[in-house]
Amino acid sequence: MDKRNKRILQILVHIGGWFPLVWLAWDFWNNNLTANPIQAVEQRTGKYALFFLVLSLACSPLVSIAGWKELIPRRKALGNYGFFYAFVHVLTFIGIDYGFNFNYIVRDVGTKSYILVGLTAFLSLAPLAITSFSYWMKRLGKNWKRLHRLVYLISPLVILHFALAVKGDITRLSGNLGEPLQYAFVVSLLLIARISFVKQIAINIRRSLARRLSDLRLA
């Protein structure tokens, strides 16, 4: 991919990153956030956060399977957009829903497991967003990769938070499986694709297909 196309991909990633916020603001301005706008903002920003987190997880497997190396530089931006929407999600919950009343929040943490799981996931994700910049990559060295592997644990936590937040009825949101289970399935595949021998199999298949296509063109 040449520099022009890489630049276009970069622009598209950032447009895609800001679009959900613009869409949310548009719906707010037009009073199109259902009868419970606070809950709508919480749900939508939570889904946006998970969506971008999954996209960032998908970058490395797609490089192995499809050879799209240009996705690696975009991985950080996708992850940071995921954290941004997670931050808006948590801020809406703490600031608007609970009015920064931490006594009520602490009280409900003990009775509503989805709050505990969600806050754990967010607090675990925060160091990854803070250290996503090149300064911290150089400062932490090999520990940077170790730290950022936490995303493999954070992703299932976010999905568990999603499932618990719909009060156990994970089949009511979308079809028979439901959105939480669909995300769980996709994330499971992405994590499996990171296993060394699975990754090597994907690379070998890609290289074999590339050779065959090359032979067909020469024939």
Side-chain angles (χ1 to χ4, degrees), residues 46-62 75 78-79 81-83 125 151 154-156 158-159 162 179-180 182-191 194:
K47 290 180 183 180
Y48 298 154
L50 178 55
F51 177 73
F52 282 105
L53 187 61
V54 171
L55 285 183
S56 69
L57 278 175
C59 289
S60 291
L62 284 174
R75 180 174 54 188
L78 291 169
Y81 279 120
F83 176 76
L125 190 60
V151 72
I154 294 169
S155 302
V158 175
I159 294 170
F162 187 8
E179 285 182 274
Q182 291 172 13
Y183 274 110
F185 177 72
V186 172
V187 168
S188 296
L189 290 179
L190 294 176
L191 295 180
R194 280 175 160 77

Side-chain angles (χ1 to χ4, degrees), residues 78-97:
L78 291 169
N80 285 338
Y81 279 120
F83 176 76
F84 170 73
Y85 286 108
F87 177 77
V88 176
H89 176 72
V90 172
L91 186 63
T92 303
F93 173 76
I94 293 175
I96 301 178
D97 203 357

Side-chain angles (χ1 to χ4, degrees), residues 157-209:
L157 275 180
V158 175
I159 294 170
L160 177 60
H161 165 69
F162 187 8
L164 292 172
V166 295
K167 300 178 181 178
D169 188 6
I170 57 177
T171 63
R172 72 180 176 86
L173 292 177
S174 176
N176 293 326
L177 288 175
E179 285 182 274
L181 284 180
Q182 291 172 13
Y183 274 110
F185 177 72
V186 172
V187 168
S188 296
L189 290 179
L190 294 176
L191 295 180
I192 290 170
R194 280 175 160 77
I195 299 172
S196 297
F197 78 89
V198 176
K199 181 178 178 181
Q200 191 57 52
I201 290 172
I203 293 172
N204 291 339
I205 292 173
R206 174 170 58 83
R207 289 174 177 172
S208 177
L209 290 173

Side-chain angles (χ1 to χ4, degrees), residues 3 8 12 34 37-38 49 62 65 67 78 81 88 100 102 114 121 132 143-144 152 159 187 217:
K3 289 184 179 180
I8 291 173
L12 289 175
T34 74
I38 296 174
L62 284 174
I65 295 169
L78 291 169
Y81 279 120
V88 176
F100 292 106
F102 291 97
Y114 76 91
S132 65
N143 291 325
W144 186 87
Y152 305 151
I159 294 170
V187 168
R217 288 171 184 170

Side-chain angles (χ1 to χ4, degrees), residues 6-175:
K6 288 181 180 179
R7 183 62 177 170
I8 291 173
L9 177 61
Q10 182 182 23
I11 292 171
L12 289 175
V13 167
H14 289 298
I15 290 174
W18 287 108
F19 176 75
L21 185 65
V22 174
W23 184 16
L24 189 64
W26 175 265
D27 283 343
F28 174 79
W29 182 261
N30 289 281
N31 296 316
N32 195 28
L33 288 178
T34 74
N36 191 340
I38 296 174
Q39 185 184 60
V41 172
E42 287 178 357
Q43 290 177 346
R44 286 172 60 169
T45 52
K47 290 180 183 180
Y48 298 154
L50 178 55
F51 177 73
F52 282 105
L53 187 61
V54 171
L55 285 183
S56 69
L57 278 175
C59 289
S60 291
L62 284 174
V63 170
S64 300
I65 295 169
W68 296 339
K69 294 181 180 179
E70 57 273 8
L71 290 176
I72 293 299
R74 309 281 76 83
R75 180 174 54 188
K76 181 176 75 172
L78 291 169
N80 285 338
Y81 279 120
F83 176 76
F84 170 73
Y85 286 108
F87 177 77
V88 176
H89 176 72
V90 172
L91 186 63
T92 303
F93 173 76
I94 293 175
I96 301 178
D97 203 357
Y98 276 80
F100 292 106
N101 191 323
F102 291 97
N103 289 328
Y104 287 145
I105 295 171
V106 171
R107 180 201 64 189
D108 284 351
V109 163
T111 58
K112 297 178 180 178
S113 55
Y114 76 91
I115 298 178
L116 178 61
V117 174
L119 287 176
T120 300
F122 177 75
L123 293 175
S124 300
L125 190 60
L128 275 62
I130 294 170
T131 60
S132 65
F133 303 99
S134 56
Y135 168 80
W136 284 107
M137 292 178 70
K138 296 176 182 178
R139 182 81 180 265
L140 294 174
K142 292 181 179 180
N143 291 325
W144 186 87
K145 281 190 175 181
R146 295 190 184 102
L147 174 64
H148 281 252
R149 282 172 185 156
L150 280 175
V151 72
Y152 305 151
L153 298 176
I154 294 169
S155 302
L157 275 180
V158 175
I159 294 170
L160 177 60
H161 165 69
F162 187 8
L164 292 172
V166 295
K167 300 178 181 178
D169 188 6
I170 57 177
T171 63
R172 72 180 176 86
L173 292 177
S174 176

